[in-house]
Amino acid sequence: MEKKLIILRNMTGILAASICIGAILILAAYSLPTSRIYHNVDRSARIYELEGHAPFWAGGVIHTRIDNFTDSIMLMKAAYPVENLIDSAFLNPSWKFIDSSPDAPVNTLVDVMKNERQADGEIWYYPLYWHGYLVILKPMLMISPVHDLRVLNFYVQFFLMLTALFLFYQRFGRNLTLAFALTLLTLNPITAAIDFQISDVFCIILLSTIFILRKNEMLLRGENYLYFFLLLGIVTVYVDFLTYPFAAFGISLCLCVLINEKNFLAMTPQKVLAKLSAYLFAWGFGYVGMWAGKWILATVFTSDNVIMGALGKALYRTSSTLSAAEGGGTFTFIDVLARNFSALFRGPLPVILALLIIYLIYILIRRKKKIFVTKSRLAAFAFIMLLPFLWYVVLKNHSYVHDYMAYRNLAVTIFAALCFFVGIREQGILGIREQGAGNFRD
């Protein structure tokens, strides 16, 4: 019990320090002059006028949808003139929408740039999120217009993907590397390169993958993995708009199990589930705690009661009802799953997965070896495969309305399932009976 209290105290200290650092960074971002940012956004406003709020780069395939609705909000937050530094950093003002249509943010952005509107009395505040992406987006917009940043975003993500795949191949060989590559295709790298808000979590997934593959030995020491997942939750909520954050956690957790498989197999199934649950708690503690930190700071340092508004919004996003603006009515958990699986299984992806399943079945029949499923391995990968459904249970409304991005959480299920069954292909036997290294602590 004493050890757990020490760990909880350390986690609380890390969270408190992260909230302070996050506040300093967002204040620094809002301290930057906006004239150059405004100019570069203006140079690219025509893109959004032509594309609209939700263009598809491949017909009506949902996972090729680009969310210009949110990207327009991000750009307006970046370009809006700063009059009061504290209010701007914690309330995140921008121009009020000129209409109530789905194209409202895009229409407003285009109208602002065409008519060269500066700050006026019609202000829209959005303090629900940290808007930590501005720490990167604002400096970049001082240098380049949006169309150049889209290309640069692709270059950065392409380099990160190559690095992650190379490290994966070095560590695990061909088949698990292909499994990871297919998982990245599920997330749709092209959409992530074009869409700023989708790219945030995508980059976090790649960076966390690279970090685990390079620093696993360091993470195994003491409770470093616990603190890693804590920081992963903190960083994710700081830059994200509640898109598909559970994918960042789930894919990293699956990689943790994969790279330390012998260690997990040395545990009982109960200890495996306890270890993974502790990592889930650490991520959730960082994610929810960091988010709440923004609400507290905004309430304390401004005249708005952001906490009450945020709690009301959170309750709505966990409900099974729709507002009039979102169509009205109610829905079930089955409806949530149906919409997200429908978003996932569009285009050629289901054909690729079906062929892969047929191939794995063929290998199993061909090898004709007895398959021994160790309970510890089964418990670990089953736990991870079910994680997205936990997200859908908790955030029902959000997952239903925003299925075009929330479906990406299912990449966790796909990755865990592929890692589990590729083990059959690699070993002929599910599970390795060797004892793990002693530095992986229960």
Side-chain angles (χ1 to χ4, degrees), residues 76 95-98 103-112 117:
M76 286 192 287
W95 294 272
K96 186 176 181 180
F97 295 164
I98 61 176
D103 280 307
V106 173
N107 291 342
T108 304
L109 174 67
V110 173
D111 177 73
V112 165
R117 288 166 54 193

Side-chain angles (χ1 to χ4, degrees), residues 34-42 112-113 116-118:
T34 57
S35 58
R36 184 65 185 173
I37 296 174
Y38 188 101
H39 172 70
N40 279 325
V41 172
D42 180 39
V112 165
M113 296 303 153
E116 298 183 350
R117 288 166 54 193
Q118 298 300 311

Side-chain angles (χ1 to χ4, degrees), residues 17-28:
S18 298
I19 292 172
C20 293
I21 293 171
I24 292 170
L25 289 175
I26 201 69
L27 284 166

Side-chain angles (χ1 to χ4, degrees), residues 24 34 55 69 98 123 139 156 166 194 241 412 416:
I24 292 170
T34 57
F69 181 101
I98 61 176
I123 303 175
V156 171
F166 174 74
I194 300 172
F241 259 117
V412 176

Side-chain angles (χ1 to χ4, degrees), residues 44-52 68 72 75 106 109 146 150:
S44 301
R46 180 65 175 165
I47 296 175
Y48 295 91
E49 184 178 20
L50 293 174
E51 292 179 348
N68 283 345
S72 296
L75 293 173
V106 173
L109 174 67
V146 173
R150 281 183 170 184

